[in-house]
Amino acid sequence: MEYKMLAAKEATAKLPDGTEVVLETGRLAKQASGSAVVKVGDAFVLATVCFGPEKEGDFFPLTVEYREKAYAAGRLPGGYSKREAGRPSDEEILSARIIDRPIRPMFPDNFTREVQVIVNVLSADKKFAPDVFGVSAASLAIGLSELPFEEQVAAVRVAVIGDEYIVNPSYEQVSVADLDLVVAGTENSVCMVEGGAYEVSEDTMIKAITTGHDAIKELCKAQAELVAKFAKPKMVLTPKNKGEAHDKLEVAVKEVIFDELNAALHANMVKTQLYPKMAELEAKVVADPKILAIIGEGEAQDAALLADAKAIFAELERTTMRTMILNEGRRIDGRATTEVRPIEIQLGVLPSAHGSAVFQRGETQALVTCTLGTKADEQRYETLQGEGSKSYMLHYNFPPFCVGECKKLGMSRREIGHGHLAERSLKAVLPVTEDFPYTIRIVSEILESNGSSSMASVCGGTLSLMDAGVPIKAPVAGVAMGLISETGHADDEKIKILTDITGTEDHLGDMDFKVTGTEFGITAFQMDIKIKGITPELMRKALEQARAGRMHILGKIKEAIPAPRDHLSAKAPTMIKMHIPTSKIRDVIGSGGSVIKGMQAQTGCQINIDESGMIDIAAPNAKAGAVCRRMIEELIAEPEPGRIYKGKVKTIQPFGAFVEILPGRDGLVHISELADYRVEKVEDIVHVGDEVKVLCLGVDPKGKVKLSIKALQQKEKPAEPQGDAPAAPAPEQPQA
């Protein structure tokens, strides 16, 4: 049989609406360790995986890249070079994070080879976003490679519109959805959830997750079919630092330090006390004679055994903390499992900001500002769907000093992801552009961090909006939840759900689960699960506990500021929105923009007008805005019969004078309408440049305006005396 180099091996899965998802391998990128393609409609997503040699270290160097090529949508890239930029866009980074988060936990804990996953969108469907299918493509590529991988994973997007739950919704459906959710998981369990909503209930959220998981099961089965037939032999991992010395170290470390460690974890320490104490105890362990007898001293010390001793201490810290929570319901800072850390709030802390707030929760502190701008300040972007702009954005900064470290400054993917979560959390309560024509930028500066700085950004963002006087629908608060299980399974008898987790509880726990919302419902949701088989019942319990925590935080926000201020900051621009007929756009802009530029120079306002005739005026103060609006109204005004105008004589003809009564709009005062007596010559009454008052008689079907000075004089002439009223005295005759 002839070998076909471009022959593909395929498997098919069906989505709930009958849409076929085709997974293939063996045709493209065959020199990669693993490659796979997912095809849905016109979407064509290619994923590859490659790996490097074994590396020493205690972390897994996995890199996930996601790129959308302009040709995939039949478009040319923007910019001078007509080439995609080297740095991924924020949207591409967010998509890469969605792929990274569910596949990372599927690698073994002791795996330290460098792994690079690259996902390229080679063809895009105009109806739906292809990003979530990158999870299935990446999972299949890894499953087909030599790399160890616990289970195949997949992801789908779910939208809720009314009572309808839609898997793989279109762009149009997402734009009007009450809930937009990405769900990732294996055939047996959900491992990641992320989405935004417009104040939906906990039950709606859970049903959307289970709907998504039903589709995920089919995608995972199709992957497993290809992996079973075409996967390369898996590499064998040798256990590290195991053997007699390791067993001796485990016993010795516990004997040397357990009592002191247990006492420290029961001492109600905060981070600034706990971290130095743990470092002190670790140093004490590796300097103890019992430990040195195993790992050696000085030049004879075994570096691998030293690292093993430190790892054993870290694991002892983890298990002791988890046991304390499970058996005693007590956390390392002394809180109960449902307790939120103390909260303090200050408003208006920055004199020049339009709105500002400091939100302090425990050892996490966010300084959040709100700045209001004009339409010219909107963020412009380019995607596979074309160019667009957004009038609301939230930026999150996490400088190294907030955790007491020295590091190079720069924007990390984590910062972009946390900012995106906080941004979508507040989007549901913002006023619509038609009612509030401002560009809104919120910036969260994390000044201290010990857990859930993204949720502090949400709370601080709400406060800064209200301080600026933005009429939000309702305050939004967020809380990070955690989970501790005894054996790492959802059916454990011993499971504790933790409210408002610290950094240590996040690192040592089994779930990181962030929920934001108002008192009426959820606005955003992000969950990463480390345990297997989490059930809807457990998820519902976590959501209800999160709701209680959210309501507590909302109470603190309302104590600080019950409602948005009744006026915008005096430092914010005055914004006026008005609409004009499209036929008048040219009149407002003028030749080469001369008219609009002149108004901007005269009033100090910024004027933006779109093709629909919508005008945004950004004025330095209310008076300038009113003047600018009046000037535009005069430009687009139509002459009204019976109305008096003050105009300037522009030209004179033998039959009458043309008077400009509105900007760019003349009317004719016929010679017979110049005076209430016969006029021989127009120049006997008016001259070019004269300012005169005229009465509009009407506008004929051709748009010609008829004006009159005579009719106005008659209208303004005093009435003749009636009846027996005394006659006016006769004027004196001049003397001869």
Side-chain angles (χ1 to χ4, degrees), residues 618-665:
N621 53 61
K623 183 178 179 180
V627 170
C628 187
R629 181 179 187 129
R630 187 170 67 251
M631 293 172 74
I632 294 173
E633 288 173 342
E634 290 175 351
L635 282 169
I636 66 171
E638 291 291 340
E640 298 178 26
R643 184 172 176 179
I644 299 170
Y645 292 93
K646 186 176 182 181
K648 182 177 288 188
V649 178
K650 303 296 287 187
T651 59
I652 289 177
Q653 299 293 335
F655 52 81
F658 285 94
V659 179
E660 185 180 50
I661 58 171
L662 293 169
R665 193 68 185 268

Side-chain angles (χ1 to χ4, degrees), residues 665 699-704:
R665 193 68 185 268
V699 182
D700 71 13
K702 293 183 179 180
K704 295 180 179 179

